[in-house]
Amino acid sequence: MSKPVLILGAGSDIARALAHQLGAAKYDLYLAGRNLEELQKDARDLEIRYAIKARGVYFDALDFASHEDFYDSLETRPYGVVLAFGVLGDESLARSSREQWEKIIHTNYTGCVSILTVAANRLEQAKEGFVAGISSVAGDRGRAANYVYGSAKAGLSIFLSGLRNRLHGSGVRVITVKPGFVRTRMTRDLELPPRLTATPEQAARDIFQAITKKRDIIYTLWIWRWIMLVIKSIPEKIFKRMSI
Amino acid sequence: MLVSNWNNCPRVEAAMRSFRSQEEARDILGQTDRCIPRGLGRSYGDCSLGENIISTPGFRRFIHLDPAKGILECEAGTSLDQILSVIIPHGWFLPVTPGTSRVTLGGAIASDVHGKNHHLHGALGRHVLDLRLLTPQGHVLVCSKNENPAIFQAVCGGMGLLGLILSARISLMPLESVFIRQKTIPAYDLDELMSFFDSHHQSTYTVAWMDCLQRGRHLGRGLFMHGEHCRSHEAPQSQLIPPGCKGISIPFTLPFRALTPAGIKAFNSLYFHRKSRRTGYEISSIESFFYPLDALANWNLLYGKKGFLQYQFVLPRSTSRSGLQKILQHINSFGQPPYLAVLKLLGKGQGPLSFAQPGYTLALDFPIRPGVFSLLNALDRVVQKLGGRIYLAKDARMKKHMLWEGYPRAKEFVELKKRLDPENKLSSLQSRRLGLCQNPY
């Protein structure tokens, strides 16, 4: 493999679409996640379609202790790392169940810190590459409907921002991706406004461009940047009374 | 959600579910009482419509490609254009291809599609080495000419009623270049047009366009086209270039009828005379030869909101001539010409519900207008009397008896379905309309 990209949470719809974009651009790929059998099939598919090398590898975001070994066991050091795992969780259940809020926090935040800490150190040594983390617009402001999820994503956004600051000048770029609504399995039970909802392919295109065009923070769809600007600018006094 | 197939008629409320793995497909089948698989929705009519739809295009991985032997295995939701973009650079082509590449492999097998080479190479089913079928009871059966042969035959052309095709292994056709050497020959009447199919029987690809508005001595006037793959030394450039399909898209349904009968008449004449003047061979690309309409994405919207109907039938050789004549006369007296008429000579068919039988097939596109259904009923009577049949993948309206008389082996199919699907889990609007879910006779 040459200059492979490691996709963490490669079974997610956005990650799958992104893998096709990266494959078409001739990046070799590691597809990491828990469903190894399906990831191996995905890898074979990408190899046939794009004449690249792709491999499925087992990765559990919640098994923090395994992360360092996992990363160092990859045959070829990744050139780029895409962090695409995450869980929406059941926000109302999280009010009463510790198990639920722990799952949301640990998947969307702690697990990210754990694996990206390893990845950042290795990339820094190599003096090149990128980290692209998929956060969320939900991390831009706390809302009643999803503040546990939102707070974990806010943590991830801040972590990525700090990492970008630390690695600036080292040759390693850090990209924060903030998707708004995306029509995926994660959101399949939600009613989403069609005009504000991206397909996984649209989101993947935006992420791919951010990787190749050296952007820092992107929103996908782009309109979410302006939507969140407005939402963030509402004074808390008023915002707390609103239900949006 | 509201779903319709390519001809936008009928439009029905349906719950659509997609899957990414065999396990998910099995779960969906297990949880649903009645459902029908659907690919990219390029069929015309209601054969893949019902209250519950299992959508296959999310299940589209390549499983194996043997570039030396030309054998490809992929999941059933893979579209033919994706397959082409992968196999052409390796020097291979689809052994059979319908008039659009925007169909899934599973859908193409379930309709046992034919191409312009049917007289030599048969329908797609003939080139399927084996396939994996998820039965309504949740078993995965490997089917081929040797393994479960009766099921294999019936699944090809079986309209997704026997099980969900999960994946298939097909043998490919070697290709030296991405160009086709084609020739167009004008035919001034029906006899001449039909005779060209016999005199060019050795040509790999043959098809004819017909001007349905001609009467009298010009009845059945048309253009006969035949083509061959260019050998590498004949091609303009010898390298193999994957087709890049960049189409023009029609962004909305046209609020008016794009073409009037007078307009079609003028177009037909212009087209006939322009093409007739070109003698000799032309070199065209694979895309423009096989998929001319794919360049115009959403061309179906040109027919307006109500949609259109495609009427495709095949008549046995012995009755083709008189039958086509009668049909053209009916169309002429109706006064609303079809927008498109394509004639093709077919060879032998295979499965119990496969469309092909030796004889001429004509495909006609009619916009939905008052009277069109009664015209088609009249055409049905001609087709039925002469021992012909209608293509299930293009059917939105035929009556039950047309199927049972046109497809003598339908009974065999229904018996097999009873065995594989005793609870009638898989059923479409079409299968219920035609009585394919239970034996009516």
Side-chain angles (χ1 to χ4, degrees), chain B residues 217-346:
Chain B
R217 67 191 172 92
H218 284 317
L219 185 85
R221 179 173 87 170
L223 297 165
F224 176 82
M225 279 158 265
H226 63 102
E228 296 295 333
H229 288 284
C230 284
R231 307 290 304 273
S232 55
H233 63 272
E234 296 167 329
Q237 288 157 298
S238 56
Q239 324 98 298
L240 292 163
I241 314 154
C245 293
K246 280 210 184 78
I248 306 160
S249 156
I250 295 158
F252 48 80
T253 316
L254 293 183
F256 53 89
R257 295 277 181 213
L259 286 169
T260 59
I264 299 171
K265 191 159 189 173
F267 171 82
N268 281 0
S269 289
L270 198 71
Y271 186 68
F272 180 80
H273 290 293
R274 265 192 66 169
K275 282 279 184 182
S276 312
R277 265 184 284 145
R278 288 199 198 157
T279 50
Y281 285 94
E282 288 172 78
I283 303 286
S284 55
S285 70
I286 276 178
E287 288 147 284
S288 67
F289 184 77
F290 291 104
Y291 318 115
L293 286 172
D294 282 359
L296 201 65
N298 312 329
W299 61 262
N300 55 336
L301 299 184
L302 286 173
Y303 283 94
K305 278 197 177 126
K306 282 190 193 155
F308 63 109
L309 294 170
Q310 184 167 101
Y311 190 76
Q312 182 167 8
F313 60 92
V314 56
L315 293 172
R317 281 207 75 141
S318 54
T319 59
S320 284
R321 197 189 166 279
S322 62
L324 287 170
Q325 226 171 7
K326 273 191 205 136
I327 289 203
L328 290 175
Q329 280 157 2
H330 270 296
I331 292 170
N332 265 317
S333 60
F334 176 60
Q336 298 282 4
Y339 284 10
L340 196 68
V342 177
L343 184 70
K344 165 81 194 130
L345 178 61
L346 297 178

Side-chain angles (χ1 to χ4, degrees), chain A residues 11 13 38 42 45 49, chain B residues 20-21 24 60-62 82:
Chain A
D13 287 317
E38 289 298 317
D42 289 347
D45 171 54
R49 282 176 191 257
Chain B
R20 281 181 359 188
S21 67
E24 287 175 13
R60 51 158 181 247
R61 286 173 295 199
F62 286 79
Q82 291 174 47

Side-chain angles (χ1 to χ4, degrees), chain B residues 344-404:
Chain B
K344 165 81 194 130
L345 178 61
L346 297 178
K348 268 200 345 213
Q350 239 175 346
L353 285 193
S354 287
F355 170 64
Q357 65 175 23
Y360 286 85
T361 175
L362 185 65
L364 303 161
D365 281 6
F366 291 98
I368 290 179
R369 287 200 171 115
V372 70
F373 286 93
S374 56
L375 168 73
L376 298 186
N377 287 337
L379 301 189
D380 277 353
R381 286 192 285 277
V382 179
V383 171
Q384 185 195 347
K385 218 157 78 193
L386 297 176
R389 56 167 67 148
I390 288 173
Y391 195 178
L392 291 177
K394 308 280 179 79
D395 161 59
R397 34 109 355 234
M398 73 161 137
K399 303 253 167 23
K400 207 189 244 182
H401 68 90
M402 276 302 286
L403 173 99
W404 289 87

